[in-house]
Amino acid sequence: VSSDFHTEFIYTGWSYPVNITSWYQIGPELRFGATRFSYNQSKVYRNGPFRFVTDPIDIEFSYELALRNQFRLSNHWSIHATLLYNHTYTRHPLPVTMVSGGISYAFTEPKWLKTFIK
C-alpha cells in the first residue's frame, strides 16, 4: 500500500542520557521542529465560483517526545530502540506514536572538527 504523501520531520532538540549500567543507557528527548508534507499531486476543491488548489508542499509546527534505550555492544558499536510521540499542528492535529531502532557507530571526532565546533 502506497501513501499519496510523504513527511519529513526537521528538528532541534535536547536529550538527557542517563547511564543505568556500563552497557545500558536511557535518555528522554524533547524535539521542536517542522513537519514537511510532500503530496504526490495537488487537489482542487470547488464550491460554486470558489476554487482552491492545495499546495504540493506544506510545512507545519511539530514537537516530539522520545525515550531512547541504548545498549553498548563494544567501545564503538551500540544498538538502540526509541519510543516516539510526535504531534503536528495541522488544521486537524496529527498525533503519531512510533517505535524505531537501529545500530550506532561512535567515533572520536578529529581534532580540527572539535576546535571548529568550540
Side-chain angles (χ1 to χ4, degrees):
V1 175
S2 176
S3 148
D4 47 341
F5 71 94
H6 301 281
T7 63
E8 299 162 346
F9 180 48
I10 302 157
Y11 64 88
T12 186
W14 298 269
S15 150
Y16 188 76
V18 176
N19 292 321
I20 304 300
T21 67
S22 61
W23 52 269
Y24 175 59
Q25 186 181 68
I26 191 167
E29 300 178 17
L30 175 61
R31 303 170 181 168
F32 296 99
T35 299
R36 179 180 182 266
F37 296 88
S38 301
Y39 299 95
N40 292 347
Q41 58 186 358
S42 294
K43 300 225 186 243
V44 178
Y45 295 95
R46 293 186 178 147
N47 185 3
F50 175 77
R51 181 175 184 265
F52 178 75
V53 180
T54 61
D55 293 326
I57 294 176
D58 187 19
I59 299 173
E60 301 293 343
F61 174 78
S62 301
Y63 75 89
E64 191 168 79
L65 301 171
L67 184 61
R68 180 179 171 119
N69 293 276
Q70 183 163 296
F71 302 90
R72 185 187 345 222
L73 302 174
S74 70
N75 285 340
H76 297 284
W77 291 97
S78 300
I79 58 171
H80 57 87
T82 305
L83 176 64
L84 306 113
Y85 171 79
N86 180 293
H87 190 96
T88 301
Y89 288 92
T90 55
R91 182 170 184 213
H92 301 284
L94 294 173
V96 177
T97 302
M98 301 171 276
V99 176
S100 72
I103 300 170
S104 300
Y105 180 79
F107 57 91
T108 304
E109 70 277 352
K111 201 176 221 182
W112 64 267
L113 181 59
K114 193 172 189 178
T115 302
F116 175 76
I117 291 173
K118 283 183 180 181

